[in-house]
Amino acid sequence: MSITRSLLSSIALLPLLTACQVYTGKPEGPPPATRLQGQVQLENGQLLFSPCQEQRRFLLVDGGNTGIEHEARQLASDGQGELFADLAGQLGGSQGQGNDGRFEVSQLYRLQGE
């Protein structure tokens, strides 16, 4: 009877021991980048980004030395009013009026006039 009892108690404790092994803790490093496509406009000296088929507008911030600000200003000075952009980065909260947040660009895939 004692062998059966110890065997049953071992089996009963097995899920508790395996549950501790499933938890991996908080992930290390920055969260994965969000990739978005949409329009970039230069307004009041700031770059604003509107994702495709959305009404939201984000203030663009160059977070990875991508050169997006320089390229966008150069294309805008060439007469391009609206630009198409394919970007990756991190979305953040709003820090001012006239936008729905900020988009910190870490990767510039494409920036061109429409």
Side-chain angles (χ1 to χ4, degrees):
M1 184 84 160
S2 65
I3 295 175
T4 308
R5 197 175 283 180
S6 65
L7 183 62
L8 285 176
S9 62
S10 298
I11 293 174
L13 290 176
L14 189 61
L16 292 175
L17 296 174
T18 58
C20 293
Q21 294 175 358
V22 172
Y23 178 71
T24 60
K26 185 177 180 181
E28 294 182 21
T34 301
R35 187 168 180 178
L36 295 173
Q37 296 177 344
Q39 293 181 342
V40 174
Q41 295 177 325
L42 182 62
E43 287 184 17
N44 300 325
Q46 296 181 327
L47 293 176
L48 296 173
F49 177 72
S50 299
C52 291
Q53 301 175 358
E54 290 190 29
Q55 298 298 319
R56 300 183 299 167
R57 293 170 24 134
F58 298 98
L59 177 66
L60 276 184
V61 178
D62 190 354
N65 293 328
T66 63
I68 188 170
E69 292 179 13
H70 176 70
E71 286 191 47
R73 291 179 198 285
Q74 187 175 10
L75 287 169
S77 70
D78 290 342
Q80 302 290 333
E82 292 184 351
L83 306 173
F84 174 79
D86 185 0
L87 312 168
Q90 302 296 321
L91 290 169
S94 179
Q95 295 184 352
Q97 294 182 339
N99 60 56
D100 296 305
R102 57 185 271 150
F103 188 61
E104 189 171 326
V105 180
S106 59
Q107 179 72 42
L108 172 62
Y109 294 106
R110 182 170 46 161
L111 183 66
Q112 69 185 40
E114 290 192 319

